[in-house]
Amino acid sequence: MIIMEKADKQFMKVAIEQAGIAEENGDVPIGAVIVHKDQVIGRAYNQREQLNDPTAHAEIIALTQAAAFLESWRLEGCTMYVTLEPCPMCAGALVLSRMDRLVYGCDDPKAGACKSLYNIVQDERLNHRLEVTSGVLEEDCSELLQGFFARRRRENKNNNQYGF
């Protein structure tokens, strides 16, 4: 168990690095990494603003990379590390990919579909379920998002010509 916790933190740090790239590009700082046999086979960050694509979530891009690497849409034996609890679209994609495990940093009370609002990845009505570990480097992941949105609010307030 201690070895898994250490690996979870190690790979979550890579996801956090990816989230930083998203922020540098003006997007919500969310990063995702997919690991197979202790090797990173997919890494991505949110690119919705950059690509003007509502589906360009870090998880979706990382899934595409991992599938290309394995030359299969079935991502059995893989673990996804993501800084924020996946939304319904991404949670559904994880189930459809046959991913074994999901590890995420902080909960998303407004759109989370793995615990907060829904639990798509463990819904017994579906044909596949994932093992889920939450709260890995939770404070780091949460601070990244909170800082981003605080800066956005300040920028929007400063850019308001009416001063309110």
Side-chain angles (χ1 to χ4, degrees):
M1 188 69 166
I2 293 172
I3 293 171
M4 185 178 284
E5 287 177 22
K6 185 176 178 183
D8 286 352
K9 288 179 181 178
Q10 171 192 338
F11 290 120
M12 186 61 73
K13 287 177 183 177
V14 178
I16 290 170
E17 289 171 7
Q18 291 295 301
I21 298 170
E23 184 169 20
E24 289 170 10
N25 288 307
D27 217 317
V28 177
I30 299 171
V33 173
I34 297 177
V35 175
H36 181 260
K37 297 182 180 177
D38 296 323
Q39 178 184 359
V40 174
I41 62 168
R43 71 176 75 212
Y45 52 90
N46 266 14
Q47 297 181 45
R48 292 183 310 167
E49 299 295 335
Q50 190 176 359
L51 299 176
N52 290 314
D53 180 352
T55 68
H57 290 205
E59 299 96 322
I60 300 299
I61 297 167
L63 283 167
T64 300
Q65 291 175 0
F69 180 88
L70 294 176
E71 297 180 344
S72 175
W73 63 268
R74 291 178 184 87
L75 301 181
E76 295 158 337
C78 293
T79 298
M80 174 175 281
Y81 295 86
V82 62
T83 55
L84 181 67
E85 178 183 4
C87 71
M89 174 182 69
C90 295
L94 288 168
V95 170
L96 294 174
S97 75
R98 309 297 193 268
M99 181 82 52
D100 283 1
R101 187 166 175 251
L102 167 66
V103 178
Y104 70 87
C106 56
D107 293 338
D108 184 351
K110 294 184 179 181
C114 302
K115 174 183 167 188
S116 296
L117 296 179
Y118 308 101
N119 192 350
I120 293 171
V121 296
Q122 294 181 327
D123 191 320
E124 292 183 7
R125 296 170 295 179
L126 299 175
N127 66 341
H128 181 76
R129 285 166 291 289
L130 285 75
E131 176 188 333
V132 178
T133 302
S134 61
V136 175
L137 299 180
E138 181 176 13
E139 286 185 30
D140 296 343
C141 296
S142 183
E143 287 172 8
L144 190 62
L145 287 160
Q146 289 172 355
F148 174 80
F149 286 113
R151 284 187 293 283
R152 276 278 171 95
R153 284 189 294 275
R154 279 195 305 276
E155 289 169 7
N156 288 340
K157 185 177 180 181
N158 292 337
N159 291 333
N160 186 336
Q161 64 181 352
Y162 301 107
F164 53 84

